[in-house]
Amino acid sequence: MLGFHVPDPDEAMLVSGSRSGRGDGSPFRVVIGHGVFVLPIFRKVRYLSLAMFEAEIGERCVTKQAIQLDVRAVIAFKVANDTASIVNAAQRFLSEQEREMSVLTGRIFSGHLRSIVGSMTVEEIIRERQKLADEVLVASKVEMSNIGLWVDSFQIQSIDDGNLGYIAALAAPHNAAVKRDASIAQAAASQAAAQAEQESQRRQAEYQRETSLLRAQYQRDIDKANAEAAQAGPLAQATALQEVLTAQAVQARKQAELREQQLQAEVVKPAMAEAERVRILAEAEADRTRIQADAAASNNRIALDQLLIEQLPEIVKQASLGLSKANLTVLNGPDGVSEIVNGMVGQGLTVFNSLQKALSSNNDQPAD
């Protein structure tokens, strides 16, 4: 719209002309952040930047010790936002704002920088650089405010004594200490690295040793298993052969025992029974001779028969005792026992008949 003006966000619009002033005596109207209608021809519009500006300074200053130092610094500043500051700045810098503000600001700070450096020693300046910057900033703010400017920051970039070597001499002990500490730190780091390397090598050696032992143990187990597997066949055969031989020995022993029992039953016991029978017959013959003698002496047949009858049980008893001592083996059970008893009774009767015949024959013969 014709005659309507709007300033940028970082600008202040200055409206001058008839009755454009304010009651406080300002020569123009200040508009910030909104637009206004300006009557053409009768009023004039100008703009003042509220953006940030920067100025660099480099000054040769003399310290309290009469040592020359080259100091370089940077100032960040802008026009203040209040109306009075904008009016003050516009009246001074509106025609060529950026260049004139930077030059004037640099001169103000240079003067205060030389003054404050002259009250300090090199050691204080080096050690307390921020203190120097703060004092220069405080000293410059009043003058900067008077011309409508606001300082955001003041930073000292470098301090140099040229080729005097004073700062280098001041830094020498510190540099030596730094180098010493660096050497110590480097030595400690090297030692730690060497120890770490040695520890690593030791652990690797231990790991290799343990690995070798485990491998040897595994190989030993494998060899043992292979040997046992290789011996399993012959060992099983030897065990089986031993069991066979043992079984054969047991069988041979049982066969020998059985043969011995057979020999006892077939040879020894019958021979013992025959010997016992012969003994019994011999005893009976002796008894017969004795009886004959007794009968001849008594010449009594009835008495002789009576005597034979009385002796018959004793004869049978002796025969039975003889058989009991013979330890005969009965092979056919009750029938065998009956046969033995019948044999004994028959032998007794045979002896009795023999004695009777003998006595009868003796009695029939005439006496000499």
Side-chain angles (χ1 to χ4, degrees):
M1 180 183 291
L2 183 63
F4 190 81
H5 298 269
V6 180
D8 291 337
D10 60 345
E11 288 181 336
M13 185 171 65
L14 309 177
V15 181
S16 60
S18 177
R19 298 180 182 179
S20 60
R22 303 181 64 183
D24 57 0
S26 299
F28 42 79
R29 181 183 177 188
V30 178
V31 179
I32 301 175
H34 61 87
V36 295
F37 180 80
V38 179
L39 185 63
I41 303 173
F42 296 99
R43 291 178 178 83
K44 187 175 183 178
V45 177
R46 303 286 297 273
Y47 295 94
L48 181 68
S49 176
L50 302 179
M52 183 68 63
F53 292 92
E54 183 179 281
E56 294 184 2
I57 60 174
E59 286 294 322
R60 174 162 292 184
C61 307
V62 180
T63 66
K64 185 178 181 180
Q65 303 156 307
I67 298 175
Q68 292 184 353
L69 296 178
D70 293 329
V71 182
R72 298 183 61 83
V74 176
I75 309 125
F77 64 96
K78 65 182 290 295
V79 177
N81 293 330
D82 60 285
T83 302
S85 297
I86 293 174
V87 172
N88 290 334
Q91 290 177 336
R92 291 171 175 81
F93 311 115
L94 186 59
S95 62
E96 197 172 351
Q97 181 181 359
E98 182 175 358
R99 189 185 69 83
E100 292 180 354
M101 284 195 310
S102 297
V103 172
L104 184 57
T105 299
R107 290 175 180 175
I108 292 172
F109 274 87
S110 295
H112 290 292
L113 178 62
R114 287 193 301 268
S115 175
I116 295 173
V117 168
S119 64
M120 299 175 67
T121 64
V122 177
E123 289 81 1
E124 291 174 343
I125 295 172
I126 297 300
R127 185 171 56 250
E128 301 175 2
R129 179 179 297 191
Q130 188 59 44
K131 177 183 177 182
L132 171 63
D134 293 340
E135 290 184 0
V136 173
L137 181 60
V138 171
S140 304
K141 273 188 175 181
V142 177
E143 297 180 27
M144 295 290 289
S145 178
N146 291 336
I147 59 176
L149 301 180
W150 172 262
V151 180
D152 282 343
S153 67
F154 174 74
Q155 297 292 331
I156 297 177
Q157 291 183 321
S158 65
I159 300 173
D160 188 12
D161 63 355
N163 295 324
L164 295 177
Y166 190 88
I167 296 177
L170 291 177
H174 177 71
N175 292 336
V178 170
K179 291 181 179 179
R180 183 190 67 244
D181 295 342
S183 299
I184 293 173
Q186 182 63 35
S190 299
Q191 182 178 1
Q195 291 177 351
E197 181 65 21
Q198 292 176 357
E199 181 67 17
S200 176
Q201 293 179 357
R202 185 181 65 81
R203 291 183 179 179
Q204 290 179 2
E206 290 181 355
Y207 176 77
Q208 291 177 356
R209 181 178 64 83
E210 293 176 358
T211 303
S212 299
L213 291 176
L214 289 175
R215 286 178 179 174
Q217 183 177 357
Y218 293 156
Q219 187 63 41
R220 187 164 56 250
D221 294 341
I222 293 172
D223 294 341
K224 181 180 179 181
N226 292 333
E228 291 178 353
Q231 295 176 358
L235 182 60
Q237 293 179 358
T239 302
L241 180 59
Q242 181 65 32
E243 292 177 354
V244 170
L245 294 176
T246 302
Q248 290 178 351
V250 171
Q251 183 178 4
R253 184 172 65 254
K254 289 182 179 180
Q255 290 178 353
E257 291 176 355
L258 180 61
R259 182 58 181 165
E260 181 180 0
Q261 293 176 0
Q262 291 176 352
L263 290 176
Q264 288 285 341
E266 294 176 359
V267 178
V268 177
K269 290 183 178 180
M272 293 175 61
E274 180 64 21
E276 185 64 21
R277 187 181 69 79
V278 172
R279 184 184 67 78
I280 292 171
L281 292 176
E283 290 180 353
E285 184 65 23
D287 291 338
R288 183 181 66 81
T289 303
R290 179 176 56 78
I291 292 171
Q292 286 178 353
D294 292 338
S298 62
N299 199 13
N300 188 348
R301 178 66 179 270
I302 296 174
L304 181 59
D305 292 339
Q306 185 65 31
L307 180 61
L308 289 175
I309 292 171
E310 292 176 355
Q311 292 295 326
L312 182 60
E314 182 67 21
I315 293 171
V316 175
K317 178 181 180 181
Q318 292 297 327
S320 65
L321 290 175
L323 292 175
S324 64
K325 293 179 181 181
N327 193 18
L328 296 176
T329 300
V330 179
L331 299 177
N332 52 355
D335 294 337
V337 175
S338 298
E339 291 177 359
I340 293 173
V341 173
N342 292 332
M344 292 170 56
V345 174
Q347 289 179 0
L349 293 176
T350 301
V351 172
F352 180 76
N353 292 330
S354 298
L355 292 175
Q356 278 185 339
K357 289 180 182 180
L359 292 175
S360 297
S361 62
N362 289 333
N363 290 330
D364 291 338
Q365 291 180 2
D368 293 335

